[in-house]
Amino acid sequence: MRQALRSEFRLFAWGLTAALLIGWLEDYPLTVVGLFFLAHLVRHLYYSQALLSWVQGREKELPEGNGIWTEVFHRLRLMQRRHQRRKRRLGKILKRFRQATEALPDATVVLTDDFEIEWYNKAAARLLRFQSRDKGLRVDGLIRHPGFVEYLQQRRFDQSLTIAAPDSERTQLEIRIVSYMPDRYLLLAQDVTQIRLLERQRRDFVAHVSHELRTPLTVLKGYLETLEDAEAAVTPPFQPLLQRMDEQIRRLQYLIDDLLYLSRLETTKHTPTQEHPVNVSRLLSDICDE
């Protein structure tokens, strides 16, 4: 920058000297010096207008300039090249990001801070039925499920939401929204229809098996109690064995009760757990005996 200032000063000094010499020779020094200052001002105005046109995009190239403008235009060209390299690098990163999200089987939607659709992948077009004309629209104007609208209004994005797909009540979508920029959100939607079906089948299987096991265990326990009551029919060496069998049947009943309780927990709303003391010494003793 100092070199540019020295160049500008030398240009000004040589021009002023020439103006004074010409004015002295022509016997009009003030007039010639005034014309010199006017030309100097016009020069700066010309380069300022050229710079403004380049900034506004009306001109693609900057002039070479002279004096201090040579350094100004040179620095701007360097900044332009760095900007173009950075732009190409960011463009490649964005291209790789979009290629990666296009390959995902889950719907991916980029939303603005006002939940307007900025970009989406092919899976979103398939699962959410988005179209190219939907860009710029609010996402709750396309997904009108009441639960989803409330989900956006409350902004409780730490939890996921499961709703029916826009075009099929049978298709279940698990939606999660995450913030990845101060003014951008990422909406992820996964088809969990098969997962929910398997979970329901598992719960039904556990409930049915638990109910079916209660009947034979009740019969076995009844026969065992009958044998224990008939002390004359059981010799003393076999009485500890019957007691051990009774403990194991009771243990199986506890396991079945736990399975039924687990099934009820999965099918009903969660309630606050109730704490109760546990006799750890007795628990460890029972484990050692078993």
Side-chain angles (χ1 to χ4, degrees), residues 74-86:
H74 175 67
R75 293 297 180 94
L76 288 174
R77 291 190 190 95
L78 293 178
M79 291 176 59
Q80 184 183 29
R81 295 191 189 101
R82 287 196 296 267
H83 174 71
Q84 290 174 348
R85 288 195 296 267
R86 189 182 303 112

Side-chain angles (χ1 to χ4, degrees), residues 17-50:
T17 303
L20 289 173
L21 180 61
I22 295 172
W24 180 73
L25 293 175
E26 297 293 336
D27 202 22
Y28 294 104
L30 295 179
T31 302
V32 176
V33 170
L35 291 175
F36 166 75
F37 279 105
L38 180 61
H40 192 71
L41 177 62
V42 170
R43 165 177 165 267
H44 282 291
L45 289 176
Y46 170 76
Y47 287 134
S48 299
Q49 180 62 33

Side-chain angles (χ1 to χ4, degrees), residues 98-126:
R98 290 186 173 180
Q99 288 176 345
T101 52
E102 287 289 352
L104 291 174
D106 301 336
T108 305
V109 185
V110 177
L111 303 174
T112 65
D113 190 46
D114 295 328
F115 302 118
E116 295 177 353
I117 300 173
E118 188 173 87
W119 180 85
Y120 60 87
N121 63 352
K122 294 180 180 179
R126 186 183 73 255

Side-chain angles (χ1 to χ4, degrees), residues 209-259:
V209 169
S210 301
H211 280 292
E212 293 297 328
L213 286 176
R214 291 176 70 94
T215 301
L217 279 178
T218 302
V219 174
L220 289 175
K221 185 172 180 59
Y223 285 135
L224 190 61
E225 290 176 351
T226 302
L227 291 175
E228 289 176 346
D229 292 339
E231 297 180 357
V234 180
T235 57
F238 289 99
Q239 289 179 356
L241 299 180
L242 293 177
Q243 183 179 1
R244 192 64 174 172
M245 290 172 61
D246 182 67
E247 293 175 356
Q248 295 303 316
I249 288 177
R250 200 179 307 115
R251 182 186 178 191
L252 284 176
Q253 286 181 330
Y254 291 153
L255 291 176
I256 292 173
D257 292 339
D258 290 341
L259 289 174

Side-chain angles (χ1 to χ4, degrees), residues 50 53-63 77 80 84:
S53 299
W54 179 79
V55 170
Q56 292 176 344
R58 296 199 302 265
E59 296 290 339
K60 294 184 179 179
E61 297 294 335
L62 287 168
R77 291 190 190 95
Q80 184 183 29
Q84 290 174 348

